Amino acid sequence: MKIFKFGGASVKDANGVKNVTSVLEQVGYENTLVIVSAMGKTTNALEVVIKNYIEKSNELNASVQEVRKYHNQILLDLFEDEDHEVFFAVNAHFDDLEYFLRSNKSPNYNFVYDQVVSYGEIISTTIVSYYFNYKGLSNTWLDVRNFIKTDTNYRDANVNWEQTQVLITKKIEKGTLYITQGFLGSDPNNFTTTLGREGSDYTAAIFAYCLGADSVTIWKDVPGVLNADPRYFENAVLLNQISYREAIELAFYGASVIHPKTLQPLQQKEIPLFVKSFINPLLPGTSVSKGSDLEPHLPCYIIKKNQLLLSLSSLDFSFIMEEHISEIFALFHQHKLKVNLIQNSAISFSVCIEDKFNNFNDVKSILAKKFKITFNENVSLYTIRHFNEDAAQIVETNKTVLLKQISRETLQIVAKE
Ligand code: ADP
Ligand code: ASP
Ligand code: MG
């Protein structure tokens, strides 16, 4: 079986959905499971809905209507007949969403987040599935929440692999074209959970692992994995072949073209991952598999924006030792701050961190009782794998370098633009 994943960019409008259909027609779609994310920036738009809901804002209804209107326009562009069943199916999902917003009693922000944001994927796959059928690509729509079981760690749920494996092997049949949602799962009480932002690539890997799939292809708006994000670096070059190990490193440092959790399950079963262009589907793109590290062997540039650089020193000039460090890390862990780089000297300790869940202020006030704190907000972390002099020069030009760290293959720089 083949697993395909189409992200938000590939289905951002009606032409996108038509193009996905054409990709399948060109490359074949028998015995294929297609995972689709929310359309365009829908997840961000639903995050606004959640914010309005939590803050009891007057804008709540308008923000829901905006998401409705966006999808309705796509439907109008795809289906000539406004009486087509798909309009009712999509409207029913929006009605369910509005019902949830009216009736929910849970004060748990993360729980509410997952219940609401999941409509993005539910609605996009409904539209894509109906459109495929409309165009003669007969398919079966699956609710992924009946397959991927997780714990209750809302917004960043952990997969229960045993249960997921059983459900997937029991219910998925060879030969069929399936359409299902990325990013979602369900907890032991069948409430919706999500696997972390951009988690649809990971969904593809979960299915691939459980089915022992032949391959996974993630279809992107770029020709494949490049040696740099083309949004920030000119002349990025396509990497034809990458080993799992190298791809894990690139994704871990923040090459956002592949979600970092995607690679381990694939590596374990040696399932090849292809990253290809949905604009030129017949081009080979990038193959991630066992084999040579990186082909061509070039420096790879990765940028993580919106980082915090935090430096702590002891109030009495004593050393910052293991005891302090373990305390600091426990605090980061509790508050879901992600540490991307660490550097320490005798009396100071610096970390470059990411505050996805907006907890930094709380952590800061706790730390301020014990340490002298300095920090820079909104800095960028640049990583160069397989760096050389020229590559370092390219990154450092026109920036204030706040911290630099070198290991054998990797150079990291924290800088302010
Ligand atoms: P999806 O639609 O699947 O969510 P994303 O937008 O998350 O796709 O990923 C594709 C984007 O990843 C590209 O448009 C590109 O800007 C960015 N990107 C970051 N690093 C790389 C890289 N090394 N190679 C290719 N694209 C990259
Ligand atoms: N729709 C989700 C997000 O935007 C998941 C994904 O696209 O992978 O984060
Ligand atoms: Mg994405």
Side-chain angles (χ1 to χ4, degrees), residues 5 8 37-38 43 121 183 196-201:
K5 180 256 168 172
S37 310
T43 307
E121 268 69 14
F183 182 49
R197 282 300 308 260
E198 303 295 329
S200 297
D201 294 353

Side-chain angles (χ1 to χ4, degrees), residues 1-240:
M1 194 160 209
K2 285 182 298 185
I3 313 290
F4 285 176
K5 180 256 168 172
F6 288 93
S10 67
V11 289
K12 68 178 195 304
D13 52 25
N15 281 335
V17 178
K18 289 178 187 171
N19 180 62
V20 167
T21 318
S22 142
V23 169
L24 290 200
E25 283 165 345
Q26 289 178 68
V27 302
Y29 51 85
E30 237 180 53
N31 205 18
T32 304
L33 188 137
V34 179
I35 288 154
V36 185
S37 310
M39 295 179 146
K41 302 274 179 233
T42 298
T43 307
N44 294 2
L46 288 167
E47 283 184 343
V48 174
V49 169
I50 295 156
K51 185 168 178 288
N52 289 337
Y53 172 75
I54 296 284
E55 291 173 359
K56 300 192 167 44
S57 158
N58 293 336
E59 303 291 307
L60 174 63
N61 187 39
S63 56
V64 178
Q65 292 324 313
E66 202 168 303
V67 184
R68 229 189 230 268
K69 240 174 70 189
Y70 166 67
H71 288 91
N72 200 50
Q73 188 57 53
I74 293 178
L75 284 177
L76 291 171
D77 294 341
L78 287 175
F79 300 89
E80 279 127 45
D81 175 8
E82 275 185 56
D83 288 328
H84 192 288
E85 216 186 313
V86 67
F87 285 87
F88 297 95
V90 169
N91 270 326
H93 291 313
F94 277 108
D95 293 347
D96 287 348
L97 166 62
E98 289 182 341
Y99 176 75
F100 172 82
L101 294 171
R102 277 199 309 276
S103 60
N104 169 61
K105 299 275 185 297
S106 170
N108 179 345
Y109 177 89
N110 291 342
F111 168 83
V112 170
Y113 182 99
D114 283 359
Q115 309 320 301
V116 172
V117 91
S118 55
Y119 281 93
E121 268 69 14
I122 296 291
I123 291 165
S124 72
T125 51
T126 302
I127 297 175
V128 171
S129 172
Y130 270 103
Y131 188 72
F132 280 4
N133 278 329
Y134 185 61
K135 288 284 151 187
L137 284 69
S138 140
N139 69 91
T140 305
W141 182 90
L142 302 174
D143 187 330
V144 78
R145 295 169 296 189
N146 297 330
F147 295 87
I148 296 185
K149 295 306 292 183
T150 71
D151 60 9
T152 56
N153 192 27
Y154 300 110
R155 289 183 76 187
D156 199 12
N158 301 296
V159 173
N160 180 327
W161 285 93
E162 290 83 47
Q163 287 180 11
T164 302
Q165 174 76 68
V166 169
L167 290 167
I168 288 180
T169 9
K170 205 162 74 187
K171 295 196 214 158
I172 304 278
E173 284 167 17
K174 288 214 165 106
T176 313
L177 170 63
Y178 290 105
I179 313 275
T180 197
Q181 308 79 40
F183 182 49
L184 314 181
S186 69
D187 74 6
N189 289 319
N190 291 327
F191 285 111
T192 305
T193 55
T194 63
L195 307 174
R197 282 300 308 260
E198 303 295 329
S200 297
D201 294 353
Y202 184 40
T203 307
I206 298 168
F207 274 102
Y209 180 91
C210 293
L211 290 166
D214 298 319
S215 65
V216 172
T217 307
I218 52 181
W219 298 95
K220 298 277 172 177
D221 60 353
V222 280
V225 181
L226 310 172
N227 76 326
D229 187 337
R231 283 175 300 182
Y232 306 115
F233 292 86
E234 283 171 18
N235 311 321
V237 176
L238 176 69
L239 304 170
N240 306 310

Side-chain angles (χ1 to χ4, degrees), residues 277-297:
S277 158
F278 59 68
I279 300 152
N280 292 302
L282 298 175
L283 293 182
T286 300
S287 147
V288 180
S289 59
K290 231 174 122 180
S292 85
D293 248 18
L294 200 60
E295 172 51 49
H297 196 89

